[in-house]
């Protein structure tokens, strides 16, 4: 069966695989291009009006606009897109974790955990990905199953 299927599919695989490999290089190219643009902006001397932008009645340096844009981009990346754990702790947010088949959880701290099918499973403390401490465990239908202090994923609450 393979000799009949492979010849028509091989050219399609090459046409699809090539662009996919190039998309893996896009972040590196974007960072390189951004570094080049930043280098030219920050190395230039502001002698004439071409280095300024008129905003209302004021002339603003293009460097200042570039710096503000980079700071805003960094804030957007750190806070809204994929914040690191310290941002969650700093603002008191509870991170949402989705379990993946074959991958163990490693997070420590408060979290909301969803199972592999996307159903809400647990809300509370985790220690190295194990349900441990104060938390609420839910069944697949979303009903509260256990509430209390869990010890090493024993699924038995400890009464206080």
């Amino acid at each position: 069966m393979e000799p009949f299927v492979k010849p028509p599919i091989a050219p399609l695989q090459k046409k699809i695989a090539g662009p996919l490999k190039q998309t893996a290089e896009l972040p590196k190219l974007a960072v390189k291009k951004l570094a080049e643009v930043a280098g030219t902006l920050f190395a230039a001397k502001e002698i004439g009006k071409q280095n300024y932008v008129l905003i209302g009645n004021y002339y603003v340096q293009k460097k200042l606009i570039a710096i503000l844009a980079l700071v805003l981009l960094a804030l957007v990346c750190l806070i809204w897109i994929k914040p690191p754990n310290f941002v969650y702790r700093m603002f008191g947010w509870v991170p949402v974790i989705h379990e993946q088949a074959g991958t163990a959880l490693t997070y420590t701290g408060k979290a909301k955990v969803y199972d592999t099918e996307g159903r809400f499973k647990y809300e509370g403390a985790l220690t190295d990905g194990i349900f441990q401490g104060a938390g609420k465990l839910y069944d697949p239908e979303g009903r509260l199953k256990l509430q209390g202090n869990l010890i090493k994923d024993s699924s038995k609450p400890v009464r206080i």
Side-chain angles (χ1 to χ4, degrees):
M1 179 96 170
E2 187 176 325
F4 297 110
V5 175
K6 197 169 187 176
I9 294 178
L12 292 174
Q13 284 179 329
K14 289 179 183 176
K15 287 184 180 182
I16 294 171
L20 285 178
K21 288 179 183 176
Q22 289 176 347
T23 57
E25 298 292 322
L26 282 179
K28 292 177 187 175
L29 291 173
V31 168
K32 192 175 186 180
K33 195 57 107 171
L34 186 62
E36 287 175 12
V37 169
T40 57
L41 277 176
F42 298 130
K45 303 249 182 200
E46 293 80 21
I47 298 173
K49 277 188 174 180
Q50 71 271 13
N51 295 319
Y52 293 87
V53 175
L54 183 63
I55 299 177
N57 292 331
Y58 301 99
Y59 281 99
V60 180
Q61 265 185 334
K62 289 181 180 178
K63 276 186 188 181
L64 179 62
I65 294 172
I67 290 170
L68 289 176
L70 290 174
V71 168
L72 286 174
L73 181 65
L75 286 174
V76 166
C77 289
L78 284 175
I79 294 175
W80 285 287
I81 296 177
K82 178 94 169 98
N85 291 336
F86 78 88
V87 173
Y88 281 112
R89 290 186 190 108
M90 184 170 61
F91 291 112
W93 297 340
V94 178
V96 175
I97 300 172
H98 294 273
E99 291 181 330
Q100 296 175 350
T103 306
L105 296 176
T106 59
Y107 182 78
T108 298
K110 288 186 178 180
K112 292 181 180 179
V113 180
Y114 288 82
D115 65 10
T116 54
E117 285 83 37
R119 295 182 299 235
F120 187 58
K121 182 176 182 180
Y122 178 76
E123 179 179 16
L126 294 172
T127 302
D128 292 327
I130 297 171
F131 304 154
Q132 189 168 350
K136 297 176 183 178
L137 187 63
Y138 295 87
D139 65 7
E141 286 78 37
R143 294 183 301 252
L144 184 62
K145 183 177 174 183
L146 296 171
Q147 180 176 1
N149 282 337
L150 300 174
I151 298 178
K152 292 187 182 178
D153 200 16
S154 65
S155 297
K156 294 180 183 174
V158 176
R159 303 279 180 220
I160 298 177

